[in-house]
Amino acid sequence: MANDGPASSHRTDTSAALRSAIYTRFGKAAATSTRSSRARRRDRVPKRSAMASRTVDVTLVSARDLRDVNLVSKMEVYAVVYLAGDPISRQRIATDRTGGCNPAWNATVRVTVPASGAGSGALRVLLRTERPLGDRDVGEVILPLAEILAGAGDEPIEAELGAYKVCKVGSSKTHGVLNLSYKLGGVIHPPAAYYQHHAAVVKTGELAAGYLAAGAAPYTSAPPRPPPPQQLSYSYPYPCPPPSMTRPLRISSR
């Protein structure tokens, strides 16, 4: 903490000088905008613990006693696996067209998740059935990341098989069981060059802010405008003679 004191004080003084110079030159709105933009730039620098990730290989084996949502035809169930809140990570399991309420897939998808598993993150397995007039939800299974990653180190962990109750979407009512397994990959940290690059970006921004403050400091007010150009006017002491009084110029031959 003692080593960060002078540097932090220097950055504070530089920021205050920059805001004062911009406020004098351009007004309060510009100074506030510069302060918020610098704060956003600092927030974009990643933290090593927050950027670490790992993969989870989810294998959907089968399901049984699912709720039949088709009134006439036989259900053709497929599954969608993704990280809750991240629609880009959605991956679909092929449709079982013969199992009905007891489908079997034996298919694996890979999802990248945060290595820490902190917060309310979870893997969602959504079961749906194909229908001519539009697919319909059958049920879902929520796998909290805190439960999946509990006690896991940085090394890969072999697959664990389990049976999970299938809940109606948006409800706590259960109907059926989903058999699946998940395998954890090792923790992956971004390379050190990634952080060095972002640190250089922040340092460059601070240097540019210092140059801006130094250039704006001498101008306490807006420079005066130059005077408008003057138009030249000519005046004659005597008026021109009328045309009748002019005589032609005679040239002597002698």
Side-chain angles (χ1 to χ4, degrees), residues 38-183:
R38 293 192 64 198
R40 289 194 300 268
R41 186 169 59 249
R42 288 194 301 267
D43 294 339
R44 285 199 298 266
V45 179
K47 298 181 180 180
R48 189 174 184 86
S49 60
M51 294 299 296
S53 61
R54 70 193 312 164
T55 60
V56 180
D57 294 340
V58 181
T59 301
L60 299 187
V61 181
S62 62
R64 69 175 185 273
D65 300 332
L66 296 179
R67 182 171 62 97
D68 192 351
V69 297
N70 286 359
L71 300 179
V72 180
S73 61
K74 187 177 183 179
M75 288 202 307
E76 299 178 354
V77 183
Y78 65 92
V80 180
V81 183
Y82 62 97
L83 183 64
D86 183 12
I88 300 179
S89 63
R90 296 172 67 97
Q91 300 185 58
R92 174 172 170 167
I93 298 293
T95 305
D96 181 2
R97 303 190 182 279
T98 59
C101 295
N102 302 286
W105 301 282
N106 289 319
T108 302
V109 296
R110 173 169 292 182
V111 183
T112 301
V113 301
S116 62
S120 58
L123 285 178
R124 186 186 186 195
V125 181
L126 178 62
L127 303 180
R128 310 197 74 197
T129 179
E130 293 184 356
R131 299 196 311 172
L133 299 180
D135 298 354
R136 185 173 179 181
D137 296 338
V138 177
E140 66 179 354
V141 172
I142 304 297
L143 304 174
L145 292 181
E147 178 182 334
I148 296 176
L149 303 178
D154 291 350
E155 299 299 324
I157 297 179
E158 294 299 325
E160 297 184 5
L161 180 63
Y164 300 86
K165 294 182 178 181
V166 178
C167 296
K168 184 180 178 180
V169 176
S171 174
S172 60
K173 296 180 179 180
T174 62
H175 201 304
V177 175
L178 175 64
N179 301 311
L180 64 84
S181 65
Y182 55 84
K183 177 182 179 181

Side-chain angles (χ1 to χ4, degrees), residues 25-42:
R25 181 73 184 277
F26 303 104
K28 182 178 179 181
T32 305
S33 176
T34 303
R35 183 169 64 251
S36 60
S37 64
R38 293 192 64 198
R40 289 194 300 268
R41 186 169 59 249
R42 288 194 301 267

Side-chain angles (χ1 to χ4, degrees), residues 198-210:
H198 283 269
V201 170
V202 174
K203 185 176 181 181
T204 303
E206 292 179 352
L207 292 176

